Amino acid sequence: MIQTLPTPAILIDGEKVRANLARLAGYCKEHDLNLRPHTKTHKSSFFARLQLEYGATGLTIAKVGEAQVMATVCNDLFMAYPAVDPLRGRELAQLAHTHTIRVGIDSKEAADNLSHFAQASSSTIGILVDLDVGLHRTGTQFPADALALAQHVSSLPHLRLDGLMFYPGHIPSPSSPTQGAAISAVKELLSQTLDLFDKHSLPHPILSGGSTPTMYQSHLFQPFITEIRPGTYIFNDMNTVYAGLCTIHDCAARIISTVISTAVANQFVLDAGTKTLTSDRCGPAPDSGHGHILEYPLAKIVKLTEEHAQVDCSLSPTRPSPGDRVTLIPNHICPCVNLQDYVYYQSNPDSPPGPLHVEGRGKVF
Ligand SMILES: Cc1ncc(COP(=O)(O)O)c(C=O)c1O
């Protein structure tokens, strides 16, 4: 089957996708958590529909372009990304006519911007105040700052304060001895912030959190957390494998690549460089190379240039020939998908893979 695809190509195993979706859906059901998957991983309405079929209550996006794609299959969208500029404000306010639109923000400027455009288009935008719980990327810095922003949001027309969001991207996987302490620290911060909201009679029906590395520990953020937003879990990658969250078997997205040269001793070269695999290292195993080759597990992808992957096969007992095909698991699947116009989806081992348009690909606005 993989012999017929134009390489490099992303091949997606439908059975593994469904198994990944079913596993997390079961966990969320067991713990009474809403699931709002981040669609930046697949950027496609096909996989979004599957996530909704497996119990997702809404979808997360980072980009207005993704919102427009996901709006075709879901009417409850959360933009977990601060929309501070007029162009994003205008587009989101327009979408809010027909869809429930929420945005996570950490500044008064973003609130003013969204209020202005929602008023201009006679729509209402829900707001989750972004709280920095340790990643130090975005988010109000202290509970008192979150309160001040929530009060500001409440005073503005055409905005509806819906609660809080946080992204625990600094929290390592369950295999790390520090995960428990990191979760407890976040929980304390959430508790202090929600206490302040309560004291000032500010509503917080939604507390949105979650990431792939913490997905099966999300219940430890209860009773505060109401929904989680993992993205990578639908496909998995070497980051999630080395983090101990899954096995290679659970990686649903694989890159089929052709061996284009074996001219240099102890090396073979693949047609998948940074424009396919990206430069992302594996977070939990930074020295593991630029991905894993299923057929040559002892070979290491040591160097990438735009269109070439150089593989050191000195430790490998077997070697490929030019023209052979190999199967790669990338370190980080999300940016790889964003580099492809189409991925190839195989719903079961007996059916041929068919092209699936990645509609949100390249939509960076
Ligand atoms: C704000 C936000 N929420 C959720 C996610 C999804 O997390 P993960 O990549 O761990 O699946 C991300 C990932 O970048 C994010 O930035």
Side-chain angles (χ1 to χ4, degrees), residues 237-240 242 277-291 300-304 330-333 335:
D237 52 24
M238 290 316 290
N239 274 328
T240 53
Y242 275 110
L277 289 169
T278 80
S279 311
D280 281 17
R281 295 241 161 217
C282 181
D287 295 327
S288 59
H290 295 278
K300 182 173 172 183
I301 307 174
V302 287
K303 187 170 179 197
L304 296 182
N331 284 336
H332 186 189
I333 186 62

mmCIF file of all heavy atoms in Angstrom, residues 237-240 242 277-291 300-304 330-333 335:
data_model
loop_
_atom_site.group_PDB
_atom_site.id
_atom_site.type_symbol
_atom_site.label_atom_id
_atom_site.label_comp_id
_atom_site.label_asym_id
_atom_site.label_seq_id
_atom_site.Cartn_x
_atom_site.Cartn_y
_atom_site.Cartn_z
ATOM 1 N N ASP A 237 3.053 10.998 18.737
ATOM 2 C CA ASP A 237 4.324 11.207 18.036
ATOM 3 C C ASP A 237 5.449 10.782 18.978
ATOM 4 O O ASP A 237 5.182 10.216 20.050
ATOM 5 C CB ASP A 237 4.463 12.686 17.595
ATOM 6 C CG ASP A 237 4.238 13.700 18.725
ATOM 7 O OD1 ASP A 237 4.429 13.322 19.906
ATOM 8 O OD2 ASP A 237 3.871 14.849 18.449
ATOM 9 N N MET A 238 6.715 11.021 18.593
ATOM 10 C CA MET A 238 7.802 10.551 19.461
ATOM 11 C C MET A 238 7.823 11.305 20.793
ATOM 12 O O MET A 238 8.283 10.780 21.807
ATOM 13 C CB MET A 238 9.161 10.655 18.757
ATOM 14 C CG MET A 238 9.347 9.672 17.619
ATOM 15 S SD MET A 238 8.783 7.984 17.997
ATOM 16 C CE MET A 238 10.011 7.450 19.173
ATOM 17 N N ASN A 239 7.319 12.542 20.805
ATOM 18 C CA ASN A 239 7.201 13.249 22.085
ATOM 19 C C ASN A 239 6.312 12.473 23.047
ATOM 20 O O ASN A 239 6.645 12.299 24.220
ATOM 21 C CB ASN A 239 6.577 14.642 21.882
ATOM 22 C CG ASN A 239 7.600 15.695 21.528
ATOM 23 O OD1 ASN A 239 8.747 15.627 21.955
ATOM 24 N ND2 ASN A 239 7.196 16.669 20.734
ATOM 25 N N THR A 240 5.174 12.012 22.562
ATOM 26 C CA THR A 240 4.257 11.313 23.471
ATOM 27 C C THR A 240 4.753 9.899 23.783
ATOM 28 O O THR A 240 4.518 9.379 24.867
ATOM 29 C CB THR A 240 2.802 11.292 22.931
ATOM 30 O OG1 THR A 240 2.791 10.776 21.615
ATOM 31 C CG2 THR A 240 2.185 12.658 22.923
ATOM 32 N N TYR A 242 8.087 8.992 24.030
ATOM 33 C CA TYR A 242 9.152 9.108 25.029
ATOM 34 C C TYR A 242 8.627 9.638 26.371
ATOM 35 O O TYR A 242 9.242 9.419 27.407
ATOM 36 C CB TYR A 242 10.284 10.006 24.517
ATOM 37 C CG TYR A 242 11.294 9.275 23.665
ATOM 38 C CD1 TYR A 242 11.375 9.506 22.298
ATOM 39 C CD2 TYR A 242 12.161 8.341 24.229
ATOM 40 C CE1 TYR A 242 12.302 8.826 21.514
ATOM 41 C CE2 TYR A 242 13.085 7.655 23.451
ATOM 42 C CZ TYR A 242 13.158 7.901 22.098
ATOM 43 O OH TYR A 242 14.076 7.226 21.333
ATOM 44 N N LEU A 277 9.714 17.071 8.224
ATOM 45 C CA LEU A 277 9.800 16.638 9.632
ATOM 46 C C LEU A 277 9.858 17.810 10.603
ATOM 47 O O LEU A 277 9.683 17.610 11.811
ATOM 48 C CB LEU A 277 11.051 15.768 9.836
ATOM 49 C CG LEU A 277 11.007 14.372 9.216
ATOM 50 C CD1 LEU A 277 12.384 13.726 9.247
ATOM 51 C CD2 LEU A 277 10.003 13.482 9.939
ATOM 52 N N THR A 278 10.105 19.012 10.086
ATOM 53 C CA THR A 278 10.364 20.231 10.873
ATOM 54 C C THR A 278 11.662 20.057 11.687
ATOM 55 O O THR A 278 12.231 18.951 11.730
ATOM 56 C CB THR A 278 9.206 20.626 11.819
ATOM 57 O OG1 THR A 278 9.241 19.832 13.009
ATOM 58 C CG2 THR A 278 7.861 20.518 11.140
ATOM 59 N N SER A 279 12.082 21.125 12.349
ATOM 60 C CA SER A 279 13.334 21.049 13.126
ATOM 61 C C SER A 279 13.085 20.667 14.583
ATOM 62 O O SER A 279 14.024 20.653 15.378
ATOM 63 C CB SER A 279 14.045 22.398 13.118
ATOM 64 O OG SER A 279 14.134 22.892 11.830
ATOM 65 N N ASP A 280 11.834 20.406 14.930
ATOM 66 C CA ASP A 280 11.522 20.150 16.340
ATOM 67 C C ASP A 280 12.274 18.931 16.881
ATOM 68 O O ASP A 280 12.231 17.852 16.288
ATOM 69 C CB ASP A 280 10.018 19.928 16.528
ATOM 70 C CG ASP A 280 9.244 21.231 16.549
ATOM 71 O OD1 ASP A 280 9.811 22.258 16.107
ATOM 72 O OD2 ASP A 280 8.087 21.225 16.990
ATOM 73 N N ARG A 281 12.923 19.146 17.992
ATOM 74 C CA ARG A 281 13.568 18.023 18.688
ATOM 75 C C ARG A 281 12.516 17.307 19.522
ATOM 76 O O ARG A 281 11.435 17.828 19.760
ATOM 77 C CB ARG A 281 14.665 18.558 19.614
ATOM 78 C CG ARG A 281 15.789 19.207 18.868
ATOM 79 C CD ARG A 281 17.078 18.461 19.161
ATOM 80 N NE ARG A 281 18.059 18.770 18.141
ATOM 81 C CZ ARG A 281 18.924 17.888 17.672
ATOM 82 N NH1 ARG A 281 18.926 16.656 18.100
ATOM 83 N NH2 ARG A 281 19.805 18.232 16.772
ATOM 84 N N CYS A 282 12.880 16.142 20.019
ATOM 85 C CA CYS A 282 11.962 15.425 20.909
ATOM 86 C C CYS A 282 12.176 15.978 22.323
ATOM 87 O O CYS A 282 13.296 15.895 22.852
ATOM 88 C CB CYS A 282 12.278 13.936 20.839
ATOM 89 S SG CYS A 282 11.195 12.953 21.865
ATOM 90 N N GLY A 283 11.143 16.549 22.908
ATOM 91 C CA GLY A 283 11.271 17.163 24.232
ATOM 92 C C GLY A 283 11.834 16.223 25.286
ATOM 93 O O GLY A 283 12.881 16.492 25.891
ATOM 94 N N PRO A 284 11.205 15.042 25.506
ATOM 95 C CA PRO A 284 11.697 14.157 26.581
ATOM 96 C C PRO A 284 13.001 13.438 26.226
ATOM 97 O O PRO A 284 13.648 12.908 27.114
ATOM 98 C CB PRO A 284 10.574 13.127 26.747
ATOM 99 C CG PRO A 284 9.415 13.623 25.959
ATOM 100 C CD PRO A 284 9.939 14.564 24.936
ATOM 101 N N ALA A 285 13.380 13.398 24.936
ATOM 102 C CA ALA A 285 14.619 12.694 24.539
ATOM 103 C C ALA A 285 15.312 13.507 23.440
ATOM 104 O O ALA A 285 15.323 13.109 22.274
ATOM 105 C CB ALA A 285 14.295 11.283 24.050
ATOM 106 N N PRO A 286 15.908 14.643 23.811
ATOM 107 C CA PRO A 286 16.444 15.550 22.786
ATOM 108 C C PRO A 286 17.557 14.953 21.937
ATOM 109 O O PRO A 286 17.801 15.416 20.831
ATOM 110 C CB PRO A 286 16.976 16.740 23.596
ATOM 111 C CG PRO A 286 16.701 16.474 25.024
ATOM 112 C CD PRO A 286 16.044 15.147 25.179
ATOM 113 N N ASP A 287 18.217 13.902 22.419
ATOM 114 C CA ASP A 287 19.318 13.320 21.638
ATOM 115 C C ASP A 287 18.886 12.123 20.790
ATOM 116 O O ASP A 287 19.719 11.393 20.259
ATOM 117 C CB ASP A 287 20.454 12.891 22.580
ATOM 118 C CG ASP A 287 21.063 14.092 23.278
ATOM 119 O OD1 ASP A 287 21.099 15.170 22.635
ATOM 120 O OD2 ASP A 287 21.452 13.978 24.461
ATOM 121 N N SER A 288 17.583 11.913 20.683
ATOM 122 C CA SER A 288 17.114 10.711 19.976
ATOM 123 C C SER A 288 17.081 10.896 18.464
ATOM 124 O O SER A 288 16.733 9.961 17.743
ATOM 125 C CB SER A 288 15.726 10.320 20.481
ATOM 126 O OG SER A 288 14.829 11.393 20.261
ATOM 127 N N GLY A 289 17.428 12.069 17.967
ATOM 128 C CA GLY A 289 17.401 12.298 16.527
ATOM 129 C C GLY A 289 16.097 12.947 16.091
ATOM 130 O O GLY A 289 15.256 13.302 16.922
ATOM 131 N N HIS A 290 15.943 13.052 14.763
ATOM 132 C CA HIS A 290 14.806 13.822 14.230
ATOM 133 C C HIS A 290 13.627 12.932 13.880
ATOM 134 O O HIS A 290 12.982 13.133 12.846
ATOM 135 C CB HIS A 290 15.267 14.614 13.007
ATOM 136 C CG HIS A 290 16.278 15.661 13.331
ATOM 137 N ND1 HIS A 290 15.943 16.910 13.816
ATOM 138 C CD2 HIS A 290 17.633 15.636 13.298
ATOM 139 C CE1 HIS A 290 17.029 17.615 14.030
ATOM 140 N NE2 HIS A 290 18.082 16.870 13.736
ATOM 141 N N GLY A 291 13.363 11.944 14.702
ATOM 142 C CA GLY A 291 12.249 11.041 14.435
ATOM 143 C C GLY A 291 12.729 9.605 14.506
ATOM 144 O O GLY A 291 13.929 9.340 14.643
ATOM 145 N N LYS A 300 19.785 6.298 13.203
ATOM 146 C CA LYS A 300 19.408 7.575 13.831
ATOM 147 C C LYS A 300 19.433 8.698 12.789
ATOM 148 O O LYS A 300 20.424 8.854 12.057
ATOM 149 C CB LYS A 300 20.416 7.861 14.951
ATOM 150 C CG LYS A 300 20.131 9.128 15.735
ATOM 151 C CD LYS A 300 21.075 9.214 16.927
ATOM 152 C CE LYS A 300 20.960 10.540 17.631
ATOM 153 N NZ LYS A 300 21.890 10.680 18.738
ATOM 154 N N ILE A 301 18.334 9.478 12.736
ATOM 155 C CA ILE A 301 18.285 10.623 11.819
ATOM 156 C C ILE A 301 19.095 11.740 12.474
ATOM 157 O O ILE A 301 18.637 12.393 13.415
ATOM 158 C CB ILE A 301 16.834 11.076 11.561
ATOM 159 C CG1 ILE A 301 15.967 9.897 11.109
ATOM 160 C CG2 ILE A 301 16.809 12.206 10.532
ATOM 161 C CD1 ILE A 301 14.492 10.215 10.971
ATOM 162 N N VAL A 302 20.311 11.923 11.993
ATOM 163 C CA VAL A 302 21.233 12.818 12.706
ATOM 164 C C VAL A 302 21.215 14.241 12.179
ATOM 165 O O VAL A 302 21.554 15.182 12.889
ATOM 166 C CB VAL A 302 22.686 12.279 12.671
ATOM 167 C CG1 VAL A 302 22.840 11.085 13.574
ATOM 168 C CG2 VAL A 302 23.127 11.953 11.249
ATOM 169 N N LYS A 303 20.827 14.432 10.911
ATOM 170 C CA LYS A 303 20.896 15.790 10.361
ATOM 171 C C LYS A 303 19.789 16.006 9.338
ATOM 172 O O LYS A 303 19.521 15.135 8.503
ATOM 173 C CB LYS A 303 22.261 15.993 9.697
ATOM 174 C CG LYS A 303 22.481 17.420 9.265
ATOM 175 C CD LYS A 303 23.900 17.686 8.842
ATOM 176 C CE LYS A 303 24.007 19.146 8.415
ATOM 177 N NZ LYS A 303 25.195 19.415 7.633
ATOM 178 N N LEU A 304 19.176 17.182 9.407
ATOM 179 C CA LEU A 304 18.154 17.540 8.419
ATOM 180 C C LEU A 304 18.576 18.803 7.705
ATOM 181 O O LEU A 304 19.066 19.753 8.332
ATOM 182 C CB LEU A 304 16.807 17.828 9.106
ATOM 183 C CG LEU A 304 16.090 16.714 9.851
ATOM 184 C CD1 LEU A 304 14.764 17.246 10.405
ATOM 185 C CD2 LEU A 304 15.835 15.515 8.948
ATOM 186 N N PRO A 330 7.423 11.147 13.407
ATOM 187 C CA PRO A 330 8.117 12.410 13.681
ATOM 188 C C PRO A 330 8.154 12.717 15.172
ATOM 189 O O PRO A 330 7.377 12.156 15.951
ATOM 190 C CB PRO A 330 7.274 13.442 12.941
ATOM 191 C CG PRO A 330 5.908 12.855 12.879
ATOM 192 C CD PRO A 330 6.069 11.345 12.863
ATOM 193 N N ASN A 331 9.030 13.641 15.540
ATOM 194 C CA ASN A 331 9.090 14.060 16.948
ATOM 195 C C ASN A 331 7.807 14.770 17.362
ATOM 196 O O ASN A 331 7.276 14.542 18.442
ATOM 197 C CB ASN A 331 10.280 15.008 17.165
ATOM 198 C CG ASN A 331 11.597 14.259 17.196
ATOM 199 O OD1 ASN A 331 11.619 13.058 17.489
ATOM 200 N ND2 ASN A 331 12.679 14.945 16.906
ATOM 201 N N HIS A 332 7.329 15.669 16.493
ATOM 202 C CA HIS A 332 6.175 16.509 16.838
ATOM 203 C C HIS A 332 5.274 16.549 15.604
ATOM 204 O O HIS A 332 5.615 17.186 14.603
ATOM 205 C CB HIS A 332 6.680 17.912 17.217
ATOM 206 C CG HIS A 332 5.602 18.811 17.723
ATOM 207 N ND1 HIS A 332 5.795 20.163 17.948
ATOM 208 C CD2 HIS A 332 4.314 18.564 18.066
ATOM 209 C CE1 HIS A 332 4.683 20.696 18.388
ATOM 210 N NE2 HIS A 332 3.757 19.754 18.463
ATOM 211 N N ILE A 333 4.150 15.881 15.671
ATOM 212 C CA ILE A 333 3.327 15.693 14.483
ATOM 213 C C ILE A 333 2.601 16.972 14.045
ATOM 214 O O ILE A 333 2.369 17.189 12.849
ATOM 215 C CB ILE A 333 2.303 14.526 14.683
ATOM 216 C CG1 ILE A 333 1.530 14.224 13.397
ATOM 217 C CG2 ILE A 333 1.356 14.799 15.829
ATOM 218 C CD1 ILE A 333 2.365 13.774 12.246
ATOM 219 N N PRO A 335 3.220 20.359 13.683
ATOM 220 C CA PRO A 335 3.751 21.199 12.600
ATOM 221 C C PRO A 335 4.007 20.421 11.315
ATOM 222 O O PRO A 335 4.027 21.009 10.235
ATOM 223 C CB PRO A 335 5.059 21.763 13.180
ATOM 224 C CG PRO A 335 5.431 20.856 14.286
ATOM 225 C CD PRO A 335 4.158 20.267 14.813
#
